[in-house]
Amino acid sequence: MRVRHPENSPLAAVLRNATKRYGSIVALDGINLEIRKGEVLALLGPNGAGKTTAVRLILGLSRSDTGQVEVFGRSPLEAQHRMRTGAMMQIGKVPETLRVAEHIDLFSSYYVDPLPRAEIMARAGLTGIEQRKFGELSGGQKQRLLFALAICGNPDLLVLDEPSAGLDVESRRLLWDQIRRLVHEGRSILLTTHYLEEADALADRVVVIDRGKILAEGTPAEIKKKASGKRIRCSTLTDAGRIAGIPGVTSVERDEDTLVILASAAEPVVRELLTLDASLTNLEVDSAGLEEAFLSLTRTNAQLEVAS
Amino acid sequence: MTSTLTINDKITTPPAGSGLRMYFLEAKYELLKQLRLPAYVIPTLTFPVVFYVMFGLAFGGTQSVGSIPLSAYLLATYGAFGVIGASLFGFGIGVAIERGQGWLQIKRATPMPIGAYFSAKLAMSALFSIAIVVLLLVVAAAGRVFLGWAPTMALLVVLVAGSLPFCAMGLFMGYTAGPNSAPAIANLVYLPLAFASGLWIPVEALPSLVKSIAPWLPPYHLAQLALKTIGGGVGAPVWSHLLALGGFTALFLVLARIAYQRDEGKTFG
């Protein structure tokens, strides 16, 4: 009755044209997402982008309004079909009066083929604190227990919703090592994060989403290139509208008597700026953060919508 | 109190890989989790007994309601009071907190059938109900109130089985109340219901307005069934009480189902 289902799809999980609304808010707007077997897919986006909603659909925690959701070829809404999935969610608490070993014991009983307890403890870095109650653990240890609950069923698909949130450096390093090991064993992983750095360190592919839509998709290198905009500051007599017309410039804003220019690459823009105004002063160039990159991607997206 | 109630898993845990093991462990840890919370265990187990000692034994010795002594009457109604509390609080507050803190959510992401979670809660509230009634019976016997073995056993069975509608009511509460408001809401429902159903003061002695409301309240019917086992009650037929309790159970299960589905559609951020 409680069985692991055989392979019947080349994909670990797929969202097809999935839409999810919460009242008037469109959390996911017709998203297509594929998690291939044996890969780490990072879902990258700011708060409220729809990452957690996508995760909830894949875990069978909610039903999409339109479109299809499949995990190993089956609907995750059926409890039985979640046998090969493990999940780490952003949650407040698990019962505080139960011990680490008891939590693992209970969750392992949900699966037909759980990992041995000692292995779970070792992988999650819980060895030595098995008898401690959840309420007595530090923040990092609590996150590690949640990670242990995610892997205890020996999952083929691991879904990690912002696993690094609130982790200290040491715990994060341990988590990253474990994620790499799990992928090396052939498991598939869906990871949500708002750090490009984390996506870059772990993922084979990155999907950038915002406001329920996919903005960009590619390898970490490709995404970094798209997100590697430069921020140029300077004081110049040249008109802001004129600067906005320089190829490669994505936005121009005035900050008191300084212009803040976002561009895909700095050199050609700076060259043009100096040609237009040789008396230009206070020139500064730095890397735009991911937030600015998101903004420029979002803006491009909005412009495309208007254009189409 | 918690140290006397330990569970030995070496003897009783079913083997790994069987579905039974999951149900067993779910119930075992549900119980352990609660037993380690004195703030839950002590009031749940001792309040009905303390009330019974104060009102049933200290004052009830010489008075009677109809043909039965008040001390026996209040044994049945404080028994009902106790099991209703265990069910309402075990389900209502338990589910509200675990839902609100996200614990239920990570369980729901596993292959665990939701039935395992509910049946663990049911087993836990049944065990608490048995403990409450046995404790009451022992205290009553110590106070020289003994009804005879057959009525005693009948009372125990009726009270424990009769807690079911209140589990359903608790479930509905658990899916509607937030984790912080649930304890307050549970008490605001529990205490007035207990009073108006004649669990503290015999319904025969309540003001006529309250007396006319009582038959619309589920605890009244459980109390009447419990009183019948010891030869008391207002004299309505058994089936009418069973029908009322069955109806309340169905109503709260339907409401709980609606609340559950509404909750499934919600985001947790």
Side-chain angles (χ1 to χ4, degrees), chain A residues 17-28:
Chain A
N17 197 22
T19 299
K20 182 74 188 173
R21 281 190 187 80
Y22 295 112
S24 60
I25 299 158
V26 182
L28 282 185

Side-chain angles (χ1 to χ4, degrees), chain A residues 138-189:
Chain A
S138 71
Q141 289 168 335
K142 286 179 179 173
Q143 283 287 96
R144 288 190 225 168
L145 174 67
L146 293 177
F147 178 71
L149 296 180
I151 61 167
C152 73
N154 196 10
D156 294 322
L157 170 65
L158 196 62
V159 178
L160 305 169
D161 193 14
E162 310 223 356
S164 298
L167 280 191
D168 53 88
V169 177
E170 174 63 18
S171 296
R172 180 180 305 183
R173 201 187 50 78
L174 179 95
L175 177 77
W176 285 10
D177 288 347
Q178 289 305 320
I179 289 174
R180 290 193 186 105
R181 180 174 166 193
L182 290 161
V183 181
H184 187 69
E185 292 165 342
R187 303 173 209 264
S188 317
I189 296 178

Side-chain angles (χ1 to χ4, degrees), chain A residues 2 20-22 52-53 56 59-63 79-80 82-85 87-95 97-99 101-103 105-107 109-112 133 146 149 161, chain B residues 9 13 17-23 25-30 32-34 36-37 98 100-114 116 263-269:
Chain A
R2 301 172 69 222
K20 182 74 188 173
R21 281 190 187 80
Y22 295 112
T52 298
T53 305
R56 289 176 53 79
L59 294 176
L61 290 170
S62 54
R63 191 185 292 271
Q80 271 297 306
R82 298 195 283 264
M83 196 57 87
R84 295 169 63 186
T85 310
M88 184 174 172
M89 310 281 295
Q90 306 176 65
I91 65 158
K93 284 176 184 173
V94 306
T97 55
L98 291 183
R99 301 177 197 286
E102 292 168 343
H103 278 297
D105 189 26
L106 178 60
F107 263 59
S109 78
Y110 299 154
Y111 298 89
V112 283
K133 289 177 185 162
L146 293 177
L149 296 180
D161 193 14
Chain B
D9 61 349
T13 308
S18 79
L20 205 59
R21 182 184 156 84
M22 169 176 63
Y23 282 85
L25 289 180
E26 194 71 40
K28 169 184 162 180
Y29 289 128
E30 176 68 29
L32 268 184
K33 185 181 79 189
Q34 298 289 34
R36 289 179 187 156
L37 276 177
E98 287 165 6
Q101 294 184 338
W103 171 231
L104 192 51
Q105 192 183 194
I106 50 170
K107 282 168 100 74
R108 297 282 285 120
T110 72
M112 176 202 76
I114 191 73
D263 184 60
E264 293 287 279
K266 251 191 220 158
T267 179
F268 291 80

Side-chain angles (χ1 to χ4, degrees), chain A residues 194-213:
Chain A
H194 21 252
Y195 306 114
L196 182 58
E197 184 203 359
E198 186 167 47
D200 186 33
L202 296 169
D204 298 302
R205 280 195 308 133
V206 181
V207 170
V208 182
I209 70 169
D210 190 26
R211 295 174 213 176
K213 288 191 168 171

Side-chain angles (χ1 to χ4, degrees), chain B residues 7-8 21 38-39 52 57 66 75 79 89 116 137 139 149 163 173 179 186 195 217 224 229-230 232 235 240 265:
Chain B
I7 295 166
N8 189 335
R21 182 184 156 84
Y52 179 67
L57 293 180
L75 179 58
F89 288 80
L137 289 168
V139 167
W149 283 110
S163 67
M173 224 185 264
F195 168 74
L217 308 175
Q224 289 302 315
T229 64
I230 56 170
S240 70

Side-chain angles (χ1 to χ4, degrees), chain A residues 232-239 242-243 246 249 259 261 266-285:
Chain A
I232 304 160
R233 292 163 180 274
C234 62
S235 303
T236 174
L237 299 169
T238 314
D239 176 55
R242 177 85 178 79
I243 294 171
I246 301 174
V249 170
L259 282 183
I261 303 157
E267 294 80 1
V269 177
V270 170
R271 201 173 296 131
E272 186 66 21
L273 285 172
L274 289 168
T275 313
L276 289 167
D277 175 13
S279 67
L280 175 149
T281 53
N282 297 327
L283 179 65
E284 275 177 46
V285 178

Side-chain angles (χ1 to χ4, degrees), chain B:
Chain B
M1 188 167 299
T2 55
S3 61
T4 58
L5 286 156
T6 54
I7 295 166
N8 189 335
D9 61 349
K10 285 183 189 68
I11 299 169
T12 43
T13 308
S18 79
L20 205 59
R21 182 184 156 84
M22 169 176 63
Y23 282 85
F24 175 85
L25 289 180
E26 194 71 40
K28 169 184 162 180
Y29 289 128
E30 176 68 29
L31 188 63
L32 268 184
K33 185 181 79 189
Q34 298 289 34
L35 289 180
R36 289 179 187 156
L37 276 177
Y40 174 76
V41 176
I42 292 170
T44 307
L45 290 184
T46 61
F47 277 13
V49 175
V50 170
F51 282 152
Y52 179 67
V53 169
M54 292 196 307
F55 303 109
L57 293 180
F59 297 114
T62 55
Q63 301 171 46
S64 60
V65 182
S67 61
I68 59 169
L70 185 60
S71 57
Y73 186 105
L74 290 179
L75 179 58
T77 58
Y78 276 118
F81 178 67
V83 301
I84 291 167
S87 311
L88 270 186
F89 288 80
F91 266 88
I93 300 178
V95 172
I97 288 178
E98 287 165 6
R99 193 174 57 87
Q101 294 184 338
W103 171 231
L104 192 51
Q105 192 183 194
I106 50 170
K107 282 168 100 74
R108 297 282 285 120
T110 72
M112 176 202 76
I114 191 73
Y117 176 74
F118 292 143
S119 55
K121 288 250 182 299
L122 204 59
M124 200 264 310
S125 86
L127 277 173
F128 268 88
S129 293
I130 292 169
I132 289 164
V133 179
V134 168
L135 213 56
L136 272 170
L137 289 168
V138 168
V139 167
R144 302 193 178 190
V145 177
F146 182 64
L147 312 161
W149 283 110
T152 296
M153 290 315 292
L155 182 62
L156 177 64
V157 169
V158 163
L159 286 176
V160 174
S163 67
L164 204 61
F166 305 96
C167 293
M169 200 170 165
L171 191 61
F172 167 59
M173 224 185 264
Y175 272 101
T176 29
N180 298 321
S181 59
I185 292 173
N187 275 306
L188 280 176
V189 171
Y190 177 47
L191 301 177
L193 268 187
F195 168 74
S197 300
L199 303 188
W200 296 340
I201 300 166
V203 71
E204 290 86 344
L206 289 175
S208 60
L209 174 69
V210 182
K211 214 187 285 184
S212 64
I213 296 171
W216 297 96
L217 308 175
Y220 167 82
H221 295 279
L222 177 57
Q224 289 302 315
L225 281 180
L227 285 167
K228 279 198 186 290
T229 64
I230 56 170
V234 296
V238 168
W239 65 261
S240 70
H241 300 306
L242 288 176
L243 192 69
L245 288 176
F248 282 117
T249 309
L251 173 69
F252 285 117
L253 285 180
V254 168
L255 289 175
R257 168 112 196 133
I258 294 168
Y260 169 84
Q261 280 167 342
R262 209 192 41 155
D263 184 60
E264 293 287 279
K266 251 191 220 158
T267 179
F268 291 80

